[in-house]
Amino acid sequence: SNSVTELEAKNRELTSGPNGDQAAIRETMMALAAAYEQESETDSLNSAEYLYKAAEMYETNMMDVNKALQVFDRIIAEYPDHERAADALFKKGYVTHNVLKDLNKAKTIYQQFLNQYPEHELATSAQFELEFLGVPAEDLLEKIQEKAGETPTESPVN
């Protein structure tokens, strides 16, 4: 629809500069998310896609994380066979892990992802997230190197 196209253009314009007007960007993104949700109601063919775009908007800069999770859940529930259902499930795990820091819940979600989509391109990422659940970013590199057996001081664990 027109409003989606207009808002997308406005959002691109606002976010193209180095440090745009944060309030205006936020307002536009929220409006765009709402427009995507609206569009999902009217364009049934692309509903899941529009909902996913809405969720991504809510997730960006942690604008409305709970709303993002709600929309991811909706995609998973209403469009289980759509390719976006897998993406939504992964993103749900990612947000739960990295933003909400709810490790137990994130673990369950990643596990569910791997059970449901073992062949998905995001399966390796889900496996990685699971393996390093709760490891602070600054320690991550060290852990990855250890795992790869790159640190000569450590004997590789078999």
Side-chain angles (χ1 to χ4, degrees), residues 60-92:
T60 302
N61 303 334
M62 296 194 276
M63 271 199 297
D64 193 337
V65 173
N66 291 323
K67 187 78 172 127
L69 290 170
Q70 274 171 23
V71 181
F72 286 139
D73 275 336
R74 221 187 119 183
I75 297 166
I76 294 160
E78 292 177 30
Y79 306 95
D81 300 326
H82 195 280
E83 58 178 343
R84 282 303 189 193
D87 297 335
L89 185 58
F90 179 81
K91 286 301 270 281
K92 182 186 171 182

Short mmCIF file of all heavy atoms in Angstrom, two decimals, residues 60-92:
data_model
loop_
_atom_site.label_atom_id
_atom_site.label_comp_id
_atom_site.label_asym_id
_atom_site.label_seq_id
_atom_site.Cartn_x
_atom_site.Cartn_y
_atom_site.Cartn_z
N THR A 60 14.53 -3.55 16.04
CA THR A 60 15.63 -2.63 15.73
C THR A 60 15.82 -1.63 16.86
O THR A 60 14.86 -1.03 17.34
CB THR A 60 15.34 -1.86 14.42
OG1 THR A 60 15.14 -2.81 13.37
CG2 THR A 60 16.50 -0.95 14.05
N ASN A 61 17.07 -1.49 17.28
CA ASN A 61 17.41 -0.58 18.39
C ASN A 61 16.56 -0.86 19.63
O ASN A 61 16.30 0.04 20.41
CB ASN A 61 17.22 0.89 17.97
CG ASN A 61 18.04 1.24 16.76
OD1 ASN A 61 19.07 0.63 16.51
ND2 ASN A 61 17.59 2.20 15.98
N MET A 62 16.11 -2.11 19.76
CA MET A 62 15.30 -2.52 20.91
C MET A 62 14.13 -1.57 21.14
O MET A 62 13.83 -1.20 22.28
CB MET A 62 16.18 -2.63 22.15
CG MET A 62 17.22 -3.71 22.01
SD MET A 62 18.01 -4.16 23.56
CE MET A 62 19.27 -2.92 23.70
N MET A 63 13.49 -1.18 20.05
CA MET A 63 12.38 -0.24 20.18
C MET A 63 11.26 -0.79 21.02
O MET A 63 10.76 -0.13 21.92
CB MET A 63 11.85 0.14 18.80
CG MET A 63 12.59 1.31 18.23
SD MET A 63 11.65 2.09 16.93
CE MET A 63 11.59 0.76 15.75
N ASP A 64 10.82 -1.98 20.69
CA ASP A 64 9.75 -2.62 21.47
C ASP A 64 9.95 -4.12 21.38
O ASP A 64 9.34 -4.80 20.57
CB ASP A 64 8.38 -2.21 20.93
CG ASP A 64 7.25 -2.59 21.88
OD1 ASP A 64 7.47 -3.52 22.70
OD2 ASP A 64 6.17 -1.99 21.82
N VAL A 65 10.83 -4.62 22.24
CA VAL A 65 11.25 -6.02 22.18
C VAL A 65 10.08 -6.97 22.43
O VAL A 65 9.93 -7.98 21.75
CB VAL A 65 12.39 -6.28 23.19
CG1 VAL A 65 12.72 -7.75 23.26
CG2 VAL A 65 13.62 -5.49 22.78
N ASN A 66 9.21 -6.62 23.40
CA ASN A 66 8.08 -7.49 23.70
C ASN A 66 7.12 -7.59 22.52
O ASN A 66 6.59 -8.66 22.23
CB ASN A 66 7.35 -7.01 24.96
CG ASN A 66 8.21 -7.22 26.19
OD1 ASN A 66 8.93 -8.21 26.30
ND2 ASN A 66 8.18 -6.27 27.11
N LYS A 67 6.94 -6.47 21.86
CA LYS A 67 6.08 -6.45 20.68
C LYS A 67 6.71 -7.30 19.57
O LYS A 67 6.02 -8.06 18.90
CB LYS A 67 5.88 -5.00 20.22
CG LYS A 67 4.87 -4.84 19.09
CD LYS A 67 3.44 -4.92 19.58
CE LYS A 67 2.49 -4.56 18.44
NZ LYS A 67 1.46 -5.56 18.22
N ALA A 68 8.01 -7.20 19.42
CA ALA A 68 8.71 -8.01 18.42
C ALA A 68 8.48 -9.49 18.70
O ALA A 68 8.15 -10.26 17.79
CB ALA A 68 10.21 -7.68 18.43
N LEU A 69 8.63 -9.89 19.96
CA LEU A 69 8.44 -11.28 20.34
C LEU A 69 7.00 -11.74 20.10
O LEU A 69 6.76 -12.86 19.65
CB LEU A 69 8.83 -11.50 21.81
CG LEU A 69 10.32 -11.40 22.11
CD1 LEU A 69 10.58 -11.39 23.61
CD2 LEU A 69 11.10 -12.55 21.45
N GLN A 70 6.04 -10.86 20.38
CA GLN A 70 4.63 -11.17 20.12
C GLN A 70 4.42 -11.47 18.64
O GLN A 70 3.72 -12.43 18.29
CB GLN A 70 3.73 -9.99 20.50
CG GLN A 70 3.32 -9.95 21.95
CD GLN A 70 2.62 -8.63 22.29
OE1 GLN A 70 2.09 -7.96 21.40
NE2 GLN A 70 2.62 -8.28 23.56
N VAL A 71 5.00 -10.63 17.79
CA VAL A 71 4.81 -10.80 16.35
C VAL A 71 5.54 -12.05 15.86
O VAL A 71 5.00 -12.80 15.03
CB VAL A 71 5.23 -9.54 15.56
CG1 VAL A 71 5.00 -9.73 14.07
CG2 VAL A 71 4.44 -8.32 16.05
N PHE A 72 6.74 -12.32 16.37
CA PHE A 72 7.44 -13.56 16.01
C PHE A 72 6.56 -14.76 16.37
O PHE A 72 6.42 -15.70 15.60
CB PHE A 72 8.79 -13.67 16.73
CG PHE A 72 9.86 -12.77 16.16
CD1 PHE A 72 10.74 -12.09 17.00
CD2 PHE A 72 10.02 -12.60 14.78
CE1 PHE A 72 11.74 -11.26 16.49
CE2 PHE A 72 11.01 -11.77 14.26
CZ PHE A 72 11.87 -11.11 15.11
N ASP A 73 5.95 -14.72 17.57
CA ASP A 73 5.07 -15.80 18.02
C ASP A 73 3.87 -15.98 17.09
O ASP A 73 3.45 -17.09 16.83
CB ASP A 73 4.58 -15.54 19.45
CG ASP A 73 5.57 -16.01 20.50
OD1 ASP A 73 6.37 -16.91 20.18
OD2 ASP A 73 5.54 -15.49 21.62
N ARG A 74 3.37 -14.85 16.63
CA ARG A 74 2.21 -14.90 15.72
C ARG A 74 2.57 -15.60 14.42
O ARG A 74 1.80 -16.42 13.91
CB ARG A 74 1.75 -13.47 15.44
CG ARG A 74 0.26 -13.33 15.44
CD ARG A 74 -0.16 -11.96 15.00
NE ARG A 74 -0.96 -12.09 13.79
CZ ARG A 74 -1.43 -11.07 13.12
NH1 ARG A 74 -1.17 -9.83 13.51
NH2 ARG A 74 -2.16 -11.26 12.04
N ILE A 75 3.74 -15.28 13.89
CA ILE A 75 4.20 -15.90 12.64
C ILE A 75 4.34 -17.41 12.85
O ILE A 75 3.88 -18.21 12.02
CB ILE A 75 5.54 -15.30 12.18
CG1 ILE A 75 5.38 -13.81 11.86
CG2 ILE A 75 6.08 -16.06 10.95
CD1 ILE A 75 6.69 -13.06 11.72
N ILE A 76 4.96 -17.80 13.97
CA ILE A 76 5.19 -19.21 14.27
C ILE A 76 3.85 -19.95 14.40
O ILE A 76 3.70 -21.06 13.89
CB ILE A 76 6.01 -19.35 15.58
CG1 ILE A 76 7.43 -18.78 15.38
CG2 ILE A 76 6.07 -20.80 16.04
CD1 ILE A 76 8.16 -18.43 16.67
N ALA A 77 2.88 -19.30 15.05
CA ALA A 77 1.58 -19.94 15.28
C ALA A 77 0.70 -19.97 14.03
O ALA A 77 0.10 -20.99 13.70
CB ALA A 77 0.85 -19.23 16.41
N GLU A 78 0.67 -18.84 13.32
CA GLU A 78 -0.28 -18.71 12.21
C GLU A 78 0.26 -19.18 10.86
O GLU A 78 -0.51 -19.53 9.98
CB GLU A 78 -0.76 -17.26 12.10
CG GLU A 78 -1.62 -16.82 13.27
CD GLU A 78 -2.02 -15.35 13.17
OE1 GLU A 78 -2.15 -14.82 12.04
OE2 GLU A 78 -2.17 -14.71 14.24
N TYR A 79 1.57 -19.16 10.70
CA TYR A 79 2.15 -19.54 9.41
C TYR A 79 3.27 -20.56 9.60
O TYR A 79 4.41 -20.33 9.19
CB TYR A 79 2.68 -18.30 8.68
CG TYR A 79 1.62 -17.23 8.53
CD1 TYR A 79 1.53 -16.19 9.45
CD2 TYR A 79 0.69 -17.29 7.50
CE1 TYR A 79 0.54 -15.22 9.34
CE2 TYR A 79 -0.30 -16.34 7.38
CZ TYR A 79 -0.38 -15.30 8.30
OH TYR A 79 -1.37 -14.35 8.18
N PRO A 80 2.95 -21.70 10.25
CA PRO A 80 4.01 -22.66 10.60
C PRO A 80 4.76 -23.21 9.38
O PRO A 80 5.91 -23.63 9.51
CB PRO A 80 3.26 -23.76 11.34
CG PRO A 80 1.83 -23.61 10.94
CD PRO A 80 1.62 -22.16 10.67
N ASP A 81 4.11 -23.20 8.22
CA ASP A 81 4.75 -23.77 7.04
C ASP A 81 5.48 -22.74 6.19
O ASP A 81 6.10 -23.08 5.19
CB ASP A 81 3.71 -24.50 6.18
CG ASP A 81 3.04 -25.62 6.95
OD1 ASP A 81 3.73 -26.24 7.80
OD2 ASP A 81 1.83 -25.86 6.75
N HIS A 82 5.37 -21.48 6.59
CA HIS A 82 6.04 -20.42 5.84
C HIS A 82 7.51 -20.40 6.22
O HIS A 82 7.88 -20.69 7.35
CB HIS A 82 5.39 -19.07 6.15
CG HIS A 82 5.75 -17.99 5.19
ND1 HIS A 82 6.94 -17.30 5.28
CD2 HIS A 82 5.09 -17.48 4.13
CE1 HIS A 82 6.99 -16.39 4.30
NE2 HIS A 82 5.88 -16.49 3.59
N GLU A 83 8.37 -20.03 5.25
CA GLU A 83 9.81 -20.01 5.53
C GLU A 83 10.15 -19.03 6.65
O GLU A 83 11.15 -19.19 7.35
CB GLU A 83 10.60 -19.68 4.27
CG GLU A 83 10.21 -18.36 3.63
CD GLU A 83 11.03 -18.01 2.39
OE1 GLU A 83 12.10 -18.62 2.21
OE2 GLU A 83 10.59 -17.15 1.62
N ARG A 84 9.31 -18.01 6.84
CA ARG A 84 9.57 -17.03 7.89
C ARG A 84 9.35 -17.59 9.29
O ARG A 84 9.82 -17.01 10.27
CB ARG A 84 8.72 -15.77 7.69
CG ARG A 84 9.24 -14.84 6.62
CD ARG A 84 10.65 -14.41 6.90
NE ARG A 84 11.10 -13.36 6.01
CZ ARG A 84 12.37 -12.99 5.89
NH1 ARG A 84 13.29 -13.62 6.60
NH2 ARG A 84 12.73 -12.03 5.08
N ALA A 85 8.65 -18.70 9.41
CA ALA A 85 8.40 -19.30 10.72
C ALA A 85 9.72 -19.71 11.37
O ALA A 85 9.93 -19.51 12.56
CB ALA A 85 7.45 -20.49 10.61
N ALA A 86 10.60 -20.29 10.56
CA ALA A 86 11.92 -20.69 11.07
C ALA A 86 12.73 -19.46 11.48
O ALA A 86 13.33 -19.43 12.56
CB ALA A 86 12.68 -21.48 10.00
N ASP A 87 12.73 -18.43 10.63
CA ASP A 87 13.46 -17.20 10.94
C ASP A 87 12.92 -16.59 12.23
O ASP A 87 13.69 -16.12 13.08
CB ASP A 87 13.30 -16.18 9.80
CG ASP A 87 13.90 -16.68 8.49
OD1 ASP A 87 14.82 -17.52 8.55
OD2 ASP A 87 13.46 -16.23 7.42
N ALA A 88 11.60 -16.58 12.35
CA ALA A 88 10.96 -15.99 13.53
C ALA A 88 11.35 -16.75 14.80
O ALA A 88 11.63 -16.14 15.84
CB ALA A 88 9.44 -15.97 13.36
N LEU A 89 11.38 -18.07 14.69
CA LEU A 89 11.75 -18.88 15.86
C LEU A 89 13.20 -18.62 16.25
O LEU A 89 13.52 -18.47 17.44
CB LEU A 89 11.54 -20.37 15.55
CG LEU A 89 11.76 -21.33 16.72
CD1 LEU A 89 10.83 -21.01 17.90
CD2 LEU A 89 11.55 -22.77 16.28
N PHE A 90 14.08 -18.53 15.26
CA PHE A 90 15.48 -18.25 15.57
C PHE A 90 15.62 -16.87 16.22
O PHE A 90 16.30 -16.71 17.23
CB PHE A 90 16.36 -18.31 14.32
CG PHE A 90 17.80 -17.99 14.61
CD1 PHE A 90 18.65 -18.97 15.13
CD2 PHE A 90 18.30 -16.71 14.44
CE1 PHE A 90 19.97 -18.66 15.45
CE2 PHE A 90 19.62 -16.40 14.76
CZ PHE A 90 20.46 -17.38 15.26
N LYS A 91 14.97 -15.86 15.61
CA LYS A 91 15.07 -14.50 16.13
C LYS A 91 14.49 -14.41 17.55
O LYS A 91 14.99 -13.67 18.39
CB LYS A 91 14.33 -13.51 15.21
CG LYS A 91 15.03 -13.20 13.90
CD LYS A 91 16.43 -12.61 14.07
CE LYS A 91 16.46 -11.11 14.15
NZ LYS A 91 16.35 -10.39 12.89
N LYS A 92 13.44 -15.18 17.78
CA LYS A 92 12.85 -15.22 19.12
C LYS A 92 13.89 -15.72 20.13
O LYS A 92 14.05 -15.16 21.21
CB LYS A 92 11.62 -16.13 19.10
CG LYS A 92 10.90 -16.21 20.41
CD LYS A 92 9.78 -17.24 20.36
CE LYS A 92 9.21 -17.47 21.75
NZ LYS A 92 8.16 -18.51 21.75
#
